[in-house]
Amino acid sequence: MESKAFLEEQLSMIEQWEKEQKDLWFWEKIGRLPFQWLDRLTPKFVHDKLGQLLDEVGHYIQTGGQYLVNKEHILRLFSETEPYTIEDIRRLPLAKMDEVCDQLIAKRQTFAKYQGATTGFGGIFTLAIDIPALLGLALKTLQEIALAYGFDPHDKQERMFIVKCLQFALSDIVGKKAILDELFKTNRQQTLSQLQGWREVVWTFRDQYGWKKLFQAIPIAGVLFGAWMNKTMISDIAEAGKMLYRKRRIIEKLAAFQ
């Protein structure tokens, strides 16, 4: 078991990371400006797909739906000789959790890059495929991170926490602070049981596509920009998920010393 001093140091590093979360970069703000103009030009089937995502995210929170990850596959990554359980993972050193988490993130980043390039090839019309595919990849990545730190996404409360992680990654500095307060400074169970703002995740997710829509109107540019943007978005979401789940695990480990 790690020492209390080590865990407190790691917790301090995560809290410093939280403080360093800045407002949107200037280019990101500019990237959202074309959205209202491009929104008028977006085909109806893309709008219909976004509306469908609202129902899918709600279904994910309730049951996991089509986005629920294969828990057993992730558990096998911790041991080649004998199957691990969620409880076994919780007792592992933090370094082992970090190792598995980083492996999972690296695979998802690579997958996101090729996915973005593929959907970027078809221009603006392939956004109807890319948007739900990227949302699904983000949810599965966060579920894998949850498992890497000993939390079960098959639990409805964890799926709510995952949606809040996604919302945190896509929010500006004001939104990030509010979410951190909800998750760590208030009664988390009460906050998650009253989660009502998951629709904001889809609309915020949609707003990230300002420049992507613009560049995907040119298919070749869409390939390059799609690969870069999808990988970057998954990287940002994975970083937020790792930090927030790592913080929870450290807090629970520290509680064992009391």
Side-chain angles (χ1 to χ4, degrees), residues 42-87:
T42 302
K44 182 179 182 297
F45 66 83
V46 174
H47 286 291
D48 292 342
K49 178 60 66 175
L50 289 166
Q52 179 184 337
L53 286 186
L54 290 175
D55 295 332
E56 290 181 2
V57 173
H59 189 55
Y60 165 75
I61 292 175
Q62 295 299 325
T63 66
Q66 62 177 314
Y67 298 120
L68 196 60
V69 74
N70 185 340
K71 179 169 63 175
E72 286 69 27
H73 173 71
I74 306 302
L75 296 179
R76 284 197 295 268
L77 297 177
F78 284 90
S79 175
E80 298 179 356
T81 57
E82 58 183 280
Y84 268 42
T85 65
I86 295 289
E87 291 71 24

